[in-house]
Amino acid sequence: MINNIILIAGNELRRFFKSTLAWIILAIIQFLVAIFFYVPLVMYLQPASTASGLTDAVVSTMYGFAAYIILIMSPLLTMRLISEERQLGTIRLLFSSPISITEIVLGKFLGITIFYLLILLMITLMPLSLLFGTQLDLGQIASSLVGLFLLMTSVASIGLFLSSLTSSPAMAAISTFGTILFLLIIKIGGTNSSSEVALVFSYLSIDKHYNNFLSGLFNSVDIFYYIILTVFFIILCIWRLDSERTYG
Amino acid sequence: MKKDNTLISINGLSKFYGQKHAIEDVSFTVHRGEILGLLGPNGAGKSTTMQIICGVIAANSGSVNIAGHDIIDAPKQAKQNIGFLPEQLPLYGDLTVDEYLFYSAKLRGIKKQSLNDQIISCKRRCGLENTGTRLIQNLSKGYKQRVGIAQAIIHMPPIIILDEPTSGLDPKQILEIRELMRELSKDHSIIISTHILSEVEAICDRVLVINEGNIVLDQYLKELLAGDNSLESVFLHLTGGSS
């Protein structure tokens, strides 16, 4: 079971790094996040700055923007996961091999998660470089890292599921983008937070829970929100591929 | 396993796509060391049958038993005994031949110790010795076909299922692939589908004709051709064409 999952994940990563897309996305994310690291840092260093602390003013701001950049880029990372296997016909190689659909889906998920971890590692090097000159609230950084990682796994599983619905990567990318955008803007329904319905809307929003992590707040509710989202879409993906075999 | 040499036994297989009947009540058996030719016009249900045998799609009713394992109840054991070449070659163009064969070998659960030997012997059998480091997308159609066959036989399965293995090849390549299949038939059972009748006459022991989802003929080639019949006239007669 584990061997097969690692095998699929390994092949996914190998093919990912053979395409220029992976490298370009890594470079673009790094460049954009660097801007949101550099600008708050320069502002913090101004004599007139009134910011309370370096970690809050620079590091949390950076992770806050990094999340949006990753949410925008994410559909391009996940679009080809399963749709391309179908387009190439290699899905038949997987289906006719002695591995289960659960192993295929978990392997794909593990592969893309490792890639997200790499992104996380690359952008975290920037705030960590501040340690050469000053002290940081490492607890708050750890909390942001956990939050961003959970956010990544949930968008990865959304992308994985939507990629299993089609044989066209472009279609998968657009629908993933739409879903993520929907989960972002759903909080608008919660702006008038006096009514209970509005509270539900704001609760469902994908970035509301992330903001708690950024401020160093480690709520089990927030963790469960992302884990439930991730597991839900992984199960949907397994069901989808299973029903494709039965009815397709 | 059963005492007689039955490797695949298929019973009452049916498959619908929506309202449309793709295949209906298909039953047959394949014995050890046999080359079975699956014939039929386009859309007759050849590919559907093959995909059901390999567990790529599931049938609505009926059972498939492979070397004693049911494809639904014990899919892993059953699939271990099959090598499948779908009509659309299941190749990753951005991998090299070696990387691809390595991956498909591991998918079939070949142990680490024998992995390299298997890949080398498989490449030799398929005439891929000098292409190991080339990207699959840069290979010619004939070589891609060989890589496709190589992934189907890499784990030395008792059963090899090839869906139109010679389509789109030039005459010389077709002869080479046929030669390869004859070579493989020494220790594997093979099911191939094709519309090329002469191909069946050249390599198959037994013919199965499918028309509109039903089996209309299941006979040994020797018996079939014993009289004045030609395969062509039999085929056209059975599939409703004029002869």
Side-chain angles (χ1 to χ4, degrees), chain A residues 140-179:
Chain A
Q140 194 177 352
I141 294 184
S143 162
S144 307
L145 281 178
V146 172
L148 190 52
F149 176 69
L150 288 172
L151 186 75
M152 285 167 158
T153 55
S154 51
V155 292
S157 70
I158 292 173
L160 181 65
F161 167 62
L162 289 168
S163 166
S164 75
L165 294 181
T166 165
S167 59
S168 133
M171 204 77 96
I174 292 167
S175 51
T176 309
F177 187 72
T179 309

Side-chain angles (χ1 to χ4, degrees), chain B residues 49-213:
Chain B
T49 310
M50 289 180 141
Q51 291 189 39
I52 291 174
I53 298 174
C54 300
V56 173
I57 53 180
N60 293 100
S61 63
S63 69
V64 177
N65 194 293
I66 288 156
H69 307 285
D70 190 87
I71 194 82
I72 303 293
D73 297 334
K76 289 200 178 187
Q77 291 88 324
K79 287 174 183 178
Q80 213 94 53
N81 289 298
I82 301 183
F84 180 39
L85 174 72
E87 193 178 356
Q88 186 193 0
L89 298 175
L91 303 177
Y92 297 105
D94 49 6
L95 294 185
T96 65
V97 172
D98 280 342
E99 284 170 335
Y100 176 74
L101 291 179
F102 190 80
Y103 176 59
S104 33
K106 293 200 83 175
L107 275 180
R108 268 62 174 266
I110 296 182
K111 298 274 179 315
K112 258 212 178 85
Q113 305 89 291
S114 51
L115 199 61
N116 276 328
D117 296 341
Q118 292 274 64
I119 290 178
I120 290 169
S121 80
C122 176
K123 283 200 308 191
R124 197 180 50 238
R125 291 181 97 174
C126 299
L128 290 165
E129 288 104 327
N130 303 319
T131 53
T133 54
R134 289 184 63 189
L135 284 182
I136 291 176
Q137 63 195 11
N138 296 338
L139 297 176
S140 67
K141 173 85 173 117
Y143 272 96
K144 282 182 184 159
Q145 199 82 33
R146 286 169 191 226
V147 178
I149 295 176
Q151 65 78 24
I153 64 170
I154 190 137
H155 50 310
M156 300 295 275
I159 304 157
I160 304 172
I161 297 181
L162 307 167
D163 199 351
E164 305 205 7
T166 55
S167 70
L169 299 183
D170 69 38
K172 185 166 169 287
Q173 290 167 329
I174 290 179
L175 286 178
E176 286 168 359
I177 298 277
R178 273 184 202 169
E179 198 49 52
L180 176 63
M181 281 192 280
R182 222 172 271 133
E183 159 89 29
L184 288 173
S185 71
K186 285 172 194 159
D187 26 42
H188 305 265
S189 296
I190 305 179
I191 302 182
I192 67 166
S193 81
T194 177
H195 346 257
I196 306 166
L197 299 176
S198 62
E199 192 157 290
V200 175
E201 286 183 70
I203 56 174
C204 293
D205 304 320
R206 207 173 119 201
V207 203
L208 210 74
V209 180
I210 297 189
N211 189 33
E212 291 172 359

Side-chain angles (χ1 to χ4, degrees), chain A residues 18 85 95 103 245-246 248, chain B residues 15 56 58 79 92 99:
Chain A
K18 283 201 169 204
E85 300 273 358
F95 280 175
E103 287 166 348
R245 235 180 18 177
T246 316
Chain B
K15 175 79 186 167
V56 173
K79 287 174 183 178
Y92 297 105
E99 284 170 335

Side-chain angles (χ1 to χ4, degrees), chain A residues 191-202:
Chain A
T191 40
N192 173 20
S193 54
S194 55
S195 84
E196 280 168 5
V197 180
L199 273 175
V200 171
F201 277 122
S202 108

